Amino acid sequence: MAGLEALRASPLAAQTVLSKNRLIVQSARPQDLETPAHLLTSWITPNDLFFVRSHFYTPTMQPGAWKLLVDGHVDTPLELTLDQIKSLPSHTEVVTLECAGNGRAFFEPPVAGVQWGKGAVGTARWTGARLADVLRRAGLRSSARYVWLDGADIGIGRAPDFIRNLPAAKAEADALLVYEMNGEPLPVQHGFPLRVIVPGWEGAYSIKWLTHIEVSDREHDGAFVQAGYRHPRRPVRPGAVVAPADMVPVQDLPVKSLITFPEADSTVSGTPVRIAGFAWAGELDIARVDVSTDGGRTWTAARLGPDRARFAWRQFEHVWRPEGPGSYVALSRATDTRGRTQPIVPDWNPSGYLWNAIDRVRLTVSAL
Ligand SMILES: Nc1nc2c(c(=O)[nH]1)N[C@H]1C(S)=C(S)[C@@H](COP(=O)(O)O)O[C@H]1N2
Ligand SMILES: [Mo]
């Protein structure tokens, strides 16, 4: 076949498949890779350390054949090439992306699904066009309520297609159509050539390998909208079966923090000890992060890092002088600008979404 020739000739040939060999393999195929929390050391997560969540096999893009179809409740259906999308005004935003299932492994009783620990979260500098600009070009009809988003990946076996939808208001306000991640062309695992980024909302809205935007007057009726990514509208007894009518879509991320240094269960020597990590709150800002090293009896305000962006996590740091050698637990508790703070026990829900308990890391302090 004309394989290599065609690849070289195509503007879509610049496909980077990242080697992610430092990540935790939750599933090799489809690829679900978690970042070990202690490797999250910088405000921007490098591409080769960024977690990957793919329900199905990574689609192979036909070089040159990719286009984005925009149709449904619009005045003018569009078929856009990547160059056309790149010719729209470009926007770069630092956004924290977190899988709704991050921390699922900590729910009691356990729930089915990828058993993510702490690291299905990362922050990147995303560059792309505003979804609003594309929707304006197509002309939304007054009936438009939802924007259905579909990528080139297809369900394995009998699994349905991964199609999600976004309320039109959120789509027009914040969503990006992204072709660059941290200054590089979007890597294959992260949605090459084009993905959606929905700032502040759980990761499953941020459709990878985007090929089709359909504007609709209603929610999509597929399983990934009607069954997946929903949680009980009110807290339920752990283990309960919840009626579909009592479930609502997961949207924005709750307030959360993660201690990423020192590494969990490590031994630190000398004093002082730097305790550091990240905190984020979806569409809201972080107001404060408090740290405790005495089991939550007392809390001290951590210093918040200088790097900030509207939808990005905030670095925090606390300099701690341990009283002596021994075993300690460092706790972090973030509070957002509306005063919401992290719980000790998050609400159990049947799919194990939005784990945001006060974080804890056990440390051994050796000689001072
Ligand atoms: N087409 C497609 N888009 C997708 C997914 C998918 O399986 N297929 N997974 C979603 C989920 S659940 C998450 S958390 C994010 C993860 O993005 P990442 O792999 O770039 O970290 O992509 C979302 N976009
Ligand atoms: Mo996710």
Side-chain angles (χ1 to χ4, degrees), residues 20 31-33 50-56 59 97-101 116 120 126 150-153 162 164 181 186 189-191 195-197 202-210 229:
K20 300 256 190 182
Q31 203 172 38
D32 294 317
L33 307 176
F50 208 97
F51 82 97
V52 176
R53 168 54 169 144
S54 298
H55 289 73
F56 306 125
L97 187 69
E98 184 184 23
C99 181
W116 298 111
W126 309 97
D150 189 11
D153 52 344
F162 191 75
R164 298 274 298 144
M181 179 178 186
L186 196 59
Q189 293 104 319
H190 296 292
R195 78 173 301 167
V196 183
I197 284 289
E202 62 86 12
Y205 288 95
S206 293
I207 290 290
K208 304 191 277 189
W209 313 293
L210 184 70
Y229 303 101

Side-chain angles (χ1 to χ4, degrees), residues 34-320:
E34 174 174 345
T35 312
H38 71 278
L39 296 184
L40 296 168
T41 56
S42 49
W43 188 56
I44 300 289
T45 313
N47 288 354
D48 62 343
L49 288 180
F50 208 97
F51 82 97
V52 176
R53 168 54 169 144
S54 298
H55 289 73
F56 306 125
Y57 300 136
T58 303
T60 333
M61 290 296 160
Q62 289 297 326
W66 184 90
K67 55 183 171 15
L68 176 65
L69 178 65
V70 184
D71 61 8
H73 290 231
V74 296
D75 296 329
T76 318
L78 305 172
E79 234 181 58
L80 300 170
T81 64
L82 194 57
D83 282 342
Q84 286 174 309
I85 290 163
K86 286 183 173 171
S87 72
L88 295 170
S90 100
H91 292 269
T92 297
E93 250 186 277
V94 178
V95 174
T96 296
L97 187 69
E98 184 184 23
C99 181
N102 194 25
R104 178 178 291 128
F106 307 123
F107 278 100
E108 282 288 342
V111 292
V114 180
Q115 296 298 298
W116 298 111
K118 296 184 181 184
V121 60
T123 297
R125 189 171 274 119
W126 309 97
T127 300
R130 288 201 180 286
L131 176 52
D133 287 344
V134 169
L135 295 177
R136 193 172 312 116
R137 281 188 145 205
L140 288 196
R141 298 215 177 127
S142 59
S143 52
R145 293 286 175 279
Y146 288 92
V147 175
W148 298 359
L149 303 168
D150 189 11
D153 52 344
I154 50 168
I156 297 171
R158 287 164 174 235
D161 199 359
F162 191 75
I163 299 176
R164 298 274 298 144
N165 63 203
L166 199 53
K170 180 68 178 173
E172 293 188 276
D174 300 320
L176 295 175
L177 299 179
V178 162
Y179 42 78
E180 270 179 33
M181 179 178 186
N182 292 329
E184 293 169 21
L186 196 59
V188 169
Q189 293 104 319
H190 296 292
F192 179 89
L194 192 75
R195 78 173 301 167
V196 183
I197 284 289
V198 180
W201 285 24
E202 62 86 12
Y205 288 95
S206 293
I207 290 290
K208 304 191 277 189
W209 313 293
L210 184 70
T211 51
H212 188 189
I213 295 174
E214 181 172 344
V215 177
S216 180
D217 56 353
R218 58 193 159 86
E219 277 193 325
H220 188 259
D221 56 10
F224 290 105
V225 171
Q226 295 304 326
Y229 303 101
R230 289 181 178 249
H231 62 167
R233 100 182 46 244
R234 278 176 290 276
V236 299
R237 178 179 50 77
V241 175
V242 185
D246 294 326
M247 302 282 273
V248 293
V250 177
Q251 295 187 331
D252 53 319
L253 294 167
V255 62
K256 180 164 176 177
S257 66
L258 213 54
I259 297 172
T260 58
F261 186 89
E263 182 176 354
D265 303 312
S266 63
T267 298
V268 294
S269 57
T271 184
V273 176
R274 177 177 168 264
I275 296 171
F278 298 92
W280 62 99
E283 296 186 326
L284 297 181
D285 284 335
I286 289 297
R288 57 185 295 141
V289 178
D290 294 286
V291 171
S292 174
T293 49
D294 59 4
R297 293 170 188 86
T298 62
W299 294 86
T300 311
R303 204 157 46 82
L304 298 182
D307 297 315
R308 56 197 303 180
R310 186 166 162 220
F311 296 110
W313 62 16
R314 201 80 192 269
Q315 216 153 3
F316 69 85
E317 180 179 86
H318 170 62
V319 176
W320 170 49

